[in-house]
Amino acid sequence: MSIFRHKPNEYLNKILGGVATGIVVALIPNAILGQVFSVLYKSTNMDIFQTLWEVVYAIQFTVPLVIGALIGLQFGYNGIQSACLSAATFIGSGVVTYQVADNYWKIAGTGDLFNVMFTAFFAVILIDLFKDKLGSLTVVLLPILGGALPGFIGVLILPYVSSITSQIGTLINTFTNMQVILMCVLIAISFSIIIITPISTVAIGLAVGLNGLSAGAAAIGVGACAIMLVVGSIRANNEKGVTLAVFLGAMKMMIPNLVKHPIICLPIITTSAISGLVASLFNIAGTAQSSGFGIVGLVGPLAAFEAGVSNGTSSLLQLGIVCLCFFIVPVVSALFSDMLYRKVFKLYDASVFENKGGM
């Protein structure tokens, strides 16, 4: 009997569905409130805002756990089975690691989402294989066979899967040595696509050490992607929550759309290329920490504003430049790109952006 209980497209669609929704659930609190609480704490010095920031920030660490639980729901698992799957994806993600030299456990980031998907795949196969054969020993053995074992497999393959991020970072690093306008356009395009894959734009930005114009271009690319997805989502999704979630930072919930309809890359690339070009002309800058956020929490725009003011531009003028580059140009470019490819060339229809945003 085959160990595969589902068709390949079922594995892909259900795992992608869990990943997309799990990312939204775990990242939205910090995306919406993190910057607000941080600013409030700095301006008032009230500990309550620091505590609130810590809470919404820490929820991000649960991304692999939440994804595992939601994938379990996709496959119709009961509580124990979903818990085993969550444990496997949490360990396989690499979000928690043991520091041998210092003898402590370190938790950081959201983990490697590609590896979360691979680990989930192994966990689903093993849970399906054993869930009906363990009888009264299910509560004892399934956490080992369906949780620890796939988690172990995930840990073994993590270095190889994580090398994908390293290789992409190396490629992007080569862009920083190019002519300024070309560099900004290529980095903006790269980050606009990366943000709707399981790869972390924040991790890439930090790994490469983007700074100045390269960091600004990366933030512009992420923001341009968000705005293009909002333009497409407004027409395709009756549920306004989907569009709002995308605007607030949940671009990765469109991962299933990218897999099913790669054509959406075309308007995204066009929007980000135009936006990156304009950003280079206005010297939009940023930091490694802001490069992967785009307009989420206004991290990218605030970094660009501070960089411009520190370089001698008046506050009012820099505010106008930031609004132009992060919002006006991407909106106009997105509307133009969508009309060009959807209505003029008829390469896709609005349904390619349809995302139910739930289970």
Side-chain angles (χ1 to χ4, degrees):
M1 185 179 66
S2 173
I3 62 172
F4 300 106
R5 303 289 180 88
H6 307 276
K7 297 178 180 178
N9 66 313
E10 287 184 275
Y11 283 113
L12 180 62
N13 291 336
K14 290 181 178 182
I15 289 175
L16 283 176
V19 169
T21 309
I23 290 170
V24 176
V25 171
L27 294 186
I28 277 295
N30 186 59
I32 297 176
L33 299 173
Q35 191 69 18
V36 174
F37 291 145
S38 178
V39 170
L40 287 173
Y41 173 69
K42 291 177 181 177
S43 60
T44 66
N45 205 32
M46 294 176 63
D47 290 341
I48 183 64
F49 294 120
Q50 174 66 16
T51 302
L52 287 168
W53 175 82
E54 291 173 2
V55 169
V56 296
Y57 189 86
I59 290 176
Q60 294 179 118
F61 302 142
T62 68
V63 166
L65 283 169
V66 174
I67 287 174
L70 295 176
I71 291 174
L73 287 178
Q74 291 274 24
F75 284 96
Y77 288 166
N78 61 28
I80 293 176
Q81 294 158 1
S82 291
C84 293
L85 181 53
S86 290
T89 53
F90 182 72
I91 298 301
S93 70
V95 72
V96 59
T97 54
Y98 180 61
Q99 308 299 304
V100 178
D102 300 310
N103 191 30
Y104 72 92
W105 288 90
K106 176 183 177 182
I107 185 168
T110 59
D112 189 300
L113 297 182
F114 268 124
N115 214 54
V116 167
M117 295 168 63
F118 287 126
T119 304
F121 173 70
F122 293 125
V124 167
I125 290 176
L126 290 169
I127 291 171
D128 283 348
L129 188 61
F130 294 111
K131 66 180 181 180
D132 299 322
K133 300 177 181 179
L134 302 176
S136 59
L137 293 176
T138 296
V139 71
V140 176
L141 296 180
L142 194 61
I144 298 173
L145 298 172
L149 181 55
F152 173 66
I153 295 172
V155 169
L156 291 180
I157 66 174
L158 179 60
Y160 305 100
V161 176
S162 296
S163 67
I164 298 173
T165 302
S166 299
Q167 291 168 6
I168 292 174
T170 300
L171 175 62
I172 290 175
N173 196 39
T174 63
F175 297 157
T176 61
N177 298 320
M178 296 180 177
Q179 190 271 341
V180 172
I181 293 178
L182 183 59
M183 175 193 74
C184 290
V185 170
L186 290 176
I187 290 179
I189 290 173
S190 299
F191 272 71
S192 71
I193 298 301
I194 292 171
I195 193 61
I196 47 172
T197 72
I199 299 172
S200 169
T201 52
V202 176
I204 292 286
L206 291 172
V208 176
L210 296 179
N211 197 25
L213 296 182
S214 61
I220 286 289
V222 174
C225 177
I227 290 174
M228 179 60 239
L229 291 176
V230 166
V231 169
S233 177
I234 288 175
R235 293 188 176 91
N237 296 291
N238 293 325
E239 291 290 337
K240 301 305 179 186
V242 173
T243 303
L244 181 60
V246 170
F247 179 74
L248 292 174
M251 289 80 79
K252 287 190 185 296
M253 72 186 298
M254 289 292 183
I255 292 175
N257 298 71
L258 176 65
V259 173
K260 296 175 185 177
H261 309 288
I263 191 67
I264 68 173
C265 287
L266 202 52
I268 290 172
I269 288 173
T270 303
T271 302
S272 60
I274 296 172
S275 301
L277 173 63
V278 174
S280 70
L281 299 178
F282 285 95
N283 295 318
I284 292 295
T287 65
Q289 291 74 22
S290 68
S291 60
F293 284 95
I295 58 176
V296 177
L298 295 179
V299 174
L302 287 174
F305 177 79
E306 292 173 1
V309 171
S310 65
N311 287 331
T313 307
S314 71
S315 298
L316 186 60
L317 177 59
Q318 186 61 23
L319 178 62
I321 291 173
V322 168
C323 290
L324 174 71
C325 293
F326 276 94
F327 299 102
I328 298 174
V329 170
V331 168
V332 173
S333 302
L335 291 170
F336 166 76
S337 301
D338 184 57
M339 181 183 68
L340 180 66
Y341 298 122
R342 182 175 57 86
K343 301 189 76 172
V344 178
F345 293 134
K346 300 186 185 301
L347 296 179
Y348 62 81
D349 56 41
S351 65
V352 300
F353 293 100
E354 184 177 4
N355 188 303
K356 296 180 180 178
M359 310 303 293

